Amino acid sequence: MGSIGPPRDSEDPSGFEQRTPQKKQKLLSKPPPPPPRDEQKPKETNSDSESEDEDGMTAEQKERYLKQVRESEGFEVEYFPGISYCCKIMPLMYLDEQPILNQEVKSCSEWAISRFNSDNNTNYQFVEVLKANSVFCAGDEFYLTFTAKDDVVDADGDQSAVIFQAKVYAPIGGEKEYYFCRPKLKS
């Protein structure tokens, strides 16, 4: 197999000596160390309540976000415009305009109710997705709220829909992971 570039000297297998003086200097120089924390300039804002963290959230937004996550276990989290959603739970909006994501959410909901049925010896059938939240981190961790109907018919001859919550992880290029599926907790 041929090599690309000039032949290398046997005493310089790395080819370092064949580099230009500017490239050698750049390779030998160390990058400057980052400034100490107290010297880093904070983002300028109008008041303390408006100062943002690294995710672009104000203290009030972060407090509200964390409260929503705690109280709803991630199923009821509002949209915070302009912040970084990397590794944060966010609502998936406009699913009907995103057919691939919409199908993934529906597929994960159907899979979750199937697992619930298997674990609980029930026969619920998926009806529709009501809401979906997601955390993206090497795939989507979904917080799904959907309805499903059981085979049981009530006194009026109707099958009443039950609201379920499920948490499912759909990694990029991997098998789905099931955390849980349950009837929605009463708030």
Side-chain angles (χ1 to χ4, degrees):
M1 181 187 326
S3 65
I4 298 174
R8 293 184 174 172
D9 186 309
S10 61
E11 292 180 23
D12 181 25
S14 69
F16 180 77
E17 291 303 323
Q18 295 176 12
R19 298 183 195 275
T20 64
Q22 294 85 3
K23 286 185 180 179
K24 284 184 200 176
Q25 184 60 36
K26 188 175 180 180
L27 290 170
L28 291 174
S29 66
K30 293 180 181 178
R37 271 207 168 300
D38 57 345
E39 291 180 20
Q40 293 178 359
K41 294 181 182 177
K43 291 183 181 180
E44 292 183 27
T45 58
N46 297 335
S47 71
D48 289 338
S49 66
E50 292 180 13
S51 65
E52 299 175 349
D53 67 1
E54 64 277 359
D55 295 323
M57 294 180 97
T58 65
E60 287 83 10
Q61 286 176 321
K62 183 165 255 180
E63 185 177 324
R64 194 167 72 232
Y65 168 80
L66 292 172
K67 182 177 186 223
Q68 291 172 4
V69 170
R70 269 191 315 272
E71 290 177 355
S72 73
E73 297 181 32
F75 290 93
E76 301 291 330
V77 178
E78 72 182 273
Y79 173 69
F80 291 92
I83 68 165
S84 167
Y85 279 109
C86 183
C87 300
K88 287 202 175 24
I89 301 169
M90 64 181 267
L92 297 177
M93 300 183 301
Y94 313 112
L95 280 174
D96 54 336
E97 297 173 14
Q98 303 177 63
I100 294 172
L101 182 58
N102 192 14
Q103 182 56 42
E104 182 71 10
V105 166
K106 183 180 175 188
S107 171
C108 285
S109 299
E110 290 171 337
W111 184 66
I113 199 64
S114 173
R115 290 285 305 263
F116 177 86
N117 286 334
S118 179
D119 293 347
N120 295 283
N121 198 27
T122 55
N123 194 28
Y124 284 96
Q125 299 300 310
F126 171 80
V127 176
E128 69 177 332
V129 173
L130 300 175
K131 182 177 184 176
N133 291 342
S134 172
V135 173
F136 183 80
C137 189
D140 280 301
E141 184 173 79
F142 291 112
Y143 295 79
L144 306 164
T145 304
F146 59 90
T147 56
K149 289 185 177 181
D150 197 352
D151 286 344
V152 177
V153 178
D154 64 17
D156 297 329
D158 295 326
Q159 290 177 299
S160 57
V162 176
I163 298 175
F164 281 87
Q165 293 177 322
K167 186 174 173 185
V168 174
Y169 179 61
I172 297 171
E175 295 291 319
K176 293 176 190 153
E177 294 179 32
Y178 173 84
Y179 295 114
F180 64 83
C181 180
R182 65 184 181 212
K184 183 178 179 186
L185 302 174
K186 304 290 182 203
S187 27

